[in-house]
Amino acid sequence: MKNDIITLTVNGRDVKNLQVTGKKGQTVLEVLRGNGVYVPTLCHHPKMPPYGGCRLCIVEIENMRGLPPTCTTPAVDGMVVHTHTERVTRVRKTVLELLLAYGNHNCLTCEQNGACELQNLVYEHGIEHVRFKTDFVPKHIDDTNPMIVRDQNKCVLCGRCVRGCLQVQVNGVIDIAARGSDSYITTFDNKTLKESNCLYCGQCVQSCPVGALTEKKAKGMGRQWELEKVRTTCPYCGVGCQLNLHVKDGRIARVSAVEGALPNDGRICVKGRFGYDWIYSEERLKTPLIKENGGFREASWDEALNLVAAKFTEIKEKYGPDAIAGVSSSRSINEDSYQMQKLFRSVIGTNNIDNCART
Amino acid sequence: MTNSFQDFAKAKLILAIGTNMTEAHPVSSSFVKNAVQNGADLIVVDPRRTGLAEHATMHLPIKVGSDIALLNSLMHVLITEDLYDKEYVKSCCVGFDELKAKVMEYPPERGAEISGIDAETIRKVARRLAEVRPGMLAYTLGITEHTCGMNNVLSCANLQMLLGNVGFDCGGVNPLRGQNNVQGACDMGALPNVFPGYQQVADAKARAKFEAAWGVKNLPEKPGLMMPQMMDGLLDGKVKAFYIFGENLANTEPDIRHVEHCLDSAEFLVCNDLFETETTRFADVILPAAGWSENDGTFANSERRVNRVRTVSKAPGVSMPNWWIFKEIAARMGHKWESSSARELWDNEISVLAPALGGIKYDRIEGDGLQWPCPTETHPGTPTLHRDGKFTCGLGNLVPVDWTPPAEVPDAEYPFVLSTGRRLYHYHTRTQTGRSAGINEILGEETADISAADAKALGIEHGEMIKVKSRRGEVTVKENITEQVPPGMVWMAFHFREGCANWLTNPVFDPVTKTAEYKACAVQLAKL
Ligand code: SF4
Ligand code: SF4
Ligand code: SF4
Ligand code: FES
């Protein structure tokens, strides 16, 4: 509808008196982002309800008092927004310095180095020294479970993990406890993740803007900028989640869910996220094997394939094609199944081909 | 699935029957739970109080194998209270009178007696289903893994058609397929009666088409054997050579002792696999295959979406892609095949031969995949089947079905029902998840899940080792007291060889689909 359209005027980092349009019901941030106008954020995540906790997205809006956060402020027709005034930038810097002061951000070995939203913001604001001396006491690192490392010293209390767990995956395992600078993320009853009801979907890890939540198996597997992203499909259940494999030198360092992709829209489960490294197992078959005297011996492809072809031919000639039967894999790719049924129908000459469709 | 996963998040009502979605299809369940957060009704029908039931507005803990009685009673209420969609039934369906005659035999009181859900609740659910439309019905193996699996499916479809729910966004009949590419294996014609794209082998025209495409004569017209029949064939000598590609039948099929006896009887057994498994022990030749992320290709998910799979590394040793292995065997039997990559196979053969896949080409599915039917290269794919109740096959068939009990029910000697399935952390026989670091640490062994009441009656402590015995075999397994399982029931999975439920399960099958009754057999429990 026409009168649903609203127009805002923006003065910002790269824009002057720019007219932008949005729809009634959107937040100021949504209108600005929708028009490609930059505003820094930290606690905001496009797929989660707004939280308004970090105060990085503050702006000045004419005829409004204070510095309203854009992520929770409804956009109103005619608003004039200033995203980068001196006052706004000063507050943002203070916020960032406080975050640094109340944490222990050792980027040198952090897995998130290079993909960290805090690091980017600090760089963008040119913060080289932290002016504040605080009574910060190092916090607890929970690495008792096999999958997820939680380093509270890097936590910026954005609450994205909590919303990811509760509102995206609807598992509700974690929450923010205590108040102010004493706040921390914890499970109910203050247990470690291992002792909690955590299902290791890793939505919290994927939601975390910093290195406070990381995959244990990714540790030391490669810096963020060395990793190449390869999109693929999860090999486990029939949902067919879209995964990004983060690969260094042909080896998977970690797995994440592809945001905005169908069908899973940025979500995966424990199997999709952590069930990948069997491909490197030492127990993988590496060569054809032929049974001999009750055991198996290694063989070349030629020997093994010739044996199979000869046996099939012999059995077909002796008993007819229907004496041969095959079961295809419901786990492997379409092209493999196609090829197997083609072998059975057009070469062997039987329709005795099935798959595990029933389990 | 007639519909798509994204529909779950937007649905107003979801009837989830026989689907342990939070464990078997976790991401799908997250969309269902989102819908509930947004105010949708979630009605969960499951003997167990599953993770999904925890989020339900109503949980109906039916007795194992009583689905049809419940569904028929729901339809009884819809018809007697005049709540069904008369317009839809009249214009889109056939067989109403026959269906009506049958469900009239199932007043809610009878449904209650069989299912254990009281008649008033059945009425309430039926009214709710009629009130909030369209509603989505989702099911998984709790429906199909019964001797009456086929009838269970028909009954689910009857209900949704009676409600006029098929053919609309956020409606439909939605089986969530268990394995990642079981949809695709069927689409590809790895079935005894159809070529790729569900073209019947019995149809002379279809045979002529494939004969021309494959350059052969006389493709066989008689449908082949289904897997359980192949097993029996190994025993009675009708099947001499058996080729198993990437399946660990010795752990996944019911009655392991019987299955192993069948495999042992094969004159010649070939396996393509990634690892040595309990099944490859019986092989004469094991061929090492490239695995996931070691070759390019496609999977088709439950919503009929064809997605790309990509290579990141080379398979170990001399392992090769399975399609290459089959091609080489064909060559050695005198058939030269042209395609020499998965992409060539798909673009030049599969999508050319299967009309529903005709418009799906690799360059169209670089990002999100496409849902079939997708007949042309400009077609956007089909998220919802039977749009507006216009059934692909003409009119929707209402088929009257009767309730039948499981083949084996508890008795004095074997007083518990054993039902089986999957758990969140592992996949099937753990050939993969069991070798992924950390997962065994989260779930390291099989358990027999029972109720506190039964544990107490048997004098068993939580976590004690117990013996579970059926007419097929017995296992020693750790017992786990849980509120999920009602008294009289034992629930187990098949992830661990020791304590695998399939030592116990009953090798009886649905007469049409040949799906085994994994969901019901009788067992006894004993303290060690
Ligand atoms: S891994 Fe998943 S279940 Fe566990 S805390 Fe994170 S989001 Fe919640
Ligand atoms: S752990 Fe990460 S996502 Fe959670 S509150 Fe801290 S910084 Fe935010
Ligand atoms: S990530 Fe989980 S839900 Fe998604 S396809 Fe894989 S196994 Fe299924
Ligand atoms: S992004 Fe708006 S307050 Fe954090």
Side-chain angles (χ1 to χ4, degrees), chain A residues 291 302 335 338 345 358, chain B residues 191 281 332 349 362 513:
Chain A
K291 189 168 275 171
D302 268 329
E335 291 78 357
Y338 170 81
R345 295 199 157 104
R358 298 166 194 92
Chain B
L191 288 173
R281 286 182 294 145
R332 285 165 166 81
E349 298 194 38
Y362 267 43
T513 66

Side-chain angles (χ1 to χ4, degrees), chain A residues 29 33 39-45 50-58 68-72 158 160 163:
Chain A
L29 182 66
R33 286 254 162 111
V39 187
T41 55
L42 192 56
C43 70
H44 173 77
H45 192 289
Y51 176 59
C54 74
R55 298 195 52 77
L56 274 156
C57 69
I58 49 157
T70 52
C71 68
T72 54
C158 67
R160 276 158 56 163
R163 281 174 287 154

Side-chain angles (χ1 to χ4, degrees), chain B residues 280-345:
Chain B
T280 63
R281 286 182 294 145
F282 299 93
D284 295 286
V285 180
I286 309 175
L287 302 173
W292 169 82
S293 85
E294 293 166 350
N295 55 11
D296 280 5
T298 54
F299 293 153
N301 75 356
S302 299
E303 55 176 10
R304 301 163 278 107
R305 187 184 299 281
V306 179
N307 290 310
R308 278 295 314 275
V309 188
R310 292 185 175 83
T311 309
V312 296
S313 57
K314 209 187 128 321
V318 298
S319 307
M320 289 298 280
N322 293 287
W323 59 259
W324 178 90
I325 297 173
F326 298 127
K327 177 176 161 151
E328 286 297 313
I329 295 171
R332 285 165 166 81
M333 294 177 76
H335 292 249
K336 285 268 168 283
W337 290 350
E338 236 172 71
S339 300
S340 59
S341 69
R343 185 186 191 121
E344 284 177 24
L345 278 164

Side-chain angles (χ1 to χ4, degrees), chain A residues 231 233 236 238 263 267 271 283-284 286 291 301-302 306 323 327 331 335 338 345 352 354 358, chain B residues 6 30 34 180 189 191 225 227 240 243 281 294 302 308 318 332 349 362 368 424 432 435 513:
Chain A
R231 178 171 170 168
T233 305
Y236 290 108
R267 311 158 178 217
K271 294 185 285 288
E283 290 162 17
R284 281 291 295 276
K286 296 179 188 74
K291 189 168 275 171
W301 273 116
D302 268 329
N306 285 337
V327 176
R331 308 269 284 119
E335 291 78 357
Y338 170 81
R345 295 199 157 104
N352 286 343
D354 201 359
R358 298 166 194 92
Chain B
Q6 287 296 320
S30 76
N34 290 158
N180 60 314
L191 288 173
L225 303 175
M227 192 169 50
K240 303 285 181 198
Y243 199 149
R281 286 182 294 145
E294 293 166 350
S302 299
R308 278 295 314 275
V318 298
R332 285 165 166 81
E349 298 194 38
Y362 267 43
D368 287 347
L424 173 64
Q432 298 178 357
R435 291 180 174 99
T513 66

Side-chain angles (χ1 to χ4, degrees), chain A residues 45-66:
Chain A
H45 192 289
K47 68 182 335 154
M48 298 173 187
Y51 176 59
C54 74
R55 298 195 52 77
L56 274 156
C57 69
I58 49 157
V59 290
E60 286 190 60
I61 298 178
E62 288 181 15
N63 302 321
M64 265 179 93
R65 273 199 282 167

Side-chain angles (χ1 to χ4, degrees), chain B residues 67-124:
Chain B
D67 308 73
I68 293 174
L70 174 76
L71 291 163
N72 275 350
S73 285
L74 289 172
M75 290 187 268
H76 181 283
V77 178
L78 291 175
I79 294 174
T80 49
E81 297 191 7
D82 212 19
L83 297 171
Y84 70 101
D85 188 335
K86 284 190 272 312
E87 224 12 73
Y88 183 96
V89 168
K90 208 165 107 198
S91 56
C92 304
C93 309
V94 289
F96 176 74
D97 293 335
E98 294 83 349
L99 177 72
K100 179 175 173 182
K102 181 49 68 194
V103 302
M104 282 307 128
E105 296 169 22
Y106 291 82
E109 284 66 25
R110 179 161 179 229
E113 202 184 299
I114 300 171
S115 70
I117 305 300
D118 66 272
E120 240 355 88
T121 306
I122 295 178
R123 289 198 177 87
K124 209 166 117 194

